[in-house]
Amino acid sequence: MHAIPKLSPATIAIEGSQERYPVRRIFCVGQNYADHAREMGSDPDRAPPFFFSKPSDAVAANGSRLPFPPLTSDLHHEVELVVALGSGGAKIGAEQASAAIWGWTVGLDLTRRDLQSEAKKAGRPWDMAKGFDDSAPVGDLRPGLPPSSGAISLAVNGELRQSGDLSQMIWSVPEIIANLSTYVALAPGDLIFTGTPAGVGPIGRGDRLVASIAGLPPLEISFED
């Protein structure tokens, strides 16, 4: 009789606490800033949000030095507001959605853009473009509700690449939660990446990234040479 594997959930550090937040699932919203939607060749006129997922163990901690992902020559950065849920449910109304939020932080949706482009052309899923190892670096979680406005930015090797404001999101955080909950029943431990402003672009070996949202300590990661 083979022993059954014992698994521990991926966890995220909590600001000012020794406890850690367990990650159940990761959902991401595509093209939630108008400029980024245009940048990706889409019409941003408040089209219904669409979602994709990453595995829970794709999270990478603040300060990590990461191996450069295999099978890509076009890795891209996407800085995002990330919300963590403390409760859930199905068909949550937008008016009640904020009550489901446990905390928030800044994160990076790393994307193997060349694999994504190939998948799109072939009509295939994006999983290997979005859900690879260490593809969801996140900062320490801050308990409470996220702001509805505030600067969000990303610098690579000290050069500003992305710059926007949370108020530019097409769909607000409560609207995102409400819409997502019509597709799946949400639950404690779910993370939601809420979209990225314009300026996404390539990352190379040895690069250092600093992702920021006003009022939060920055998220800093780097890649091995």
Side-chain angles (χ1 to χ4, degrees), residues 94-206:
E95 299 79 10
Q96 291 77 44
S98 292
I101 298 173
W102 188 91
W104 60 289
T105 190
V106 60
L108 287 168
D109 167 17
L110 299 179
T111 303
R112 293 193 278 206
R113 192 71 74 199
D114 44 359
L115 299 192
Q116 186 187 38
S117 296
E118 291 169 9
K120 285 181 177 180
K121 290 176 183 176
R124 295 174 178 169
W126 297 0
D127 295 56
M128 293 300 99
K130 287 287 191 177
F132 53 94
D133 297 339
D134 302 315
S135 61
V138 290
D140 294 2
L141 280 175
R142 175 170 291 177
L145 298 179
S148 58
S149 63
I152 179 171
S153 63
L154 186 283
V156 179
N157 300 326
E159 175 191 355
L160 185 65
R161 294 276 191 88
Q162 290 184 265
S163 181
D165 195 281
L166 299 179
S167 63
Q168 296 169 336
M169 287 198 293
I170 298 170
W171 295 90
S172 70
V173 171
E175 289 173 329
I176 291 168
I177 293 171
N179 193 283
L180 179 58
S181 73
T182 66
Y183 289 92
V184 295
L186 299 175
D190 289 344
L191 295 182
I192 303 174
F193 282 62
T194 62
T196 191
V200 301
I203 309 163
R205 297 178 185 274

Side-chain angles (χ1 to χ4, degrees), residues 12 16 129:
I12 300 173

Side-chain angles (χ1 to χ4, degrees), residues 52-72:
F52 57 92
S53 299
K54 293 176 182 272
S56 60
D57 61 0
V59 295
N62 200 353
S64 294
R65 184 166 177 80
L66 303 175
F68 196 82
L71 301 176
T72 184

Side-chain angles (χ1 to χ4, degrees), residues 31-69:
Q31 299 180 11
N32 196 32
Y33 288 73
D35 286 347
H36 176 57
R38 295 187 188 98
E39 177 178 61
M40 301 303 290
S42 298
D43 181 356
D45 190 17
R46 204 171 164 81
F50 68 91
F51 303 94
F52 57 92
S53 299
K54 293 176 182 272
S56 60
D57 61 0
V59 295
N62 200 353
S64 294
R65 184 166 177 80
L66 303 175
F68 196 82

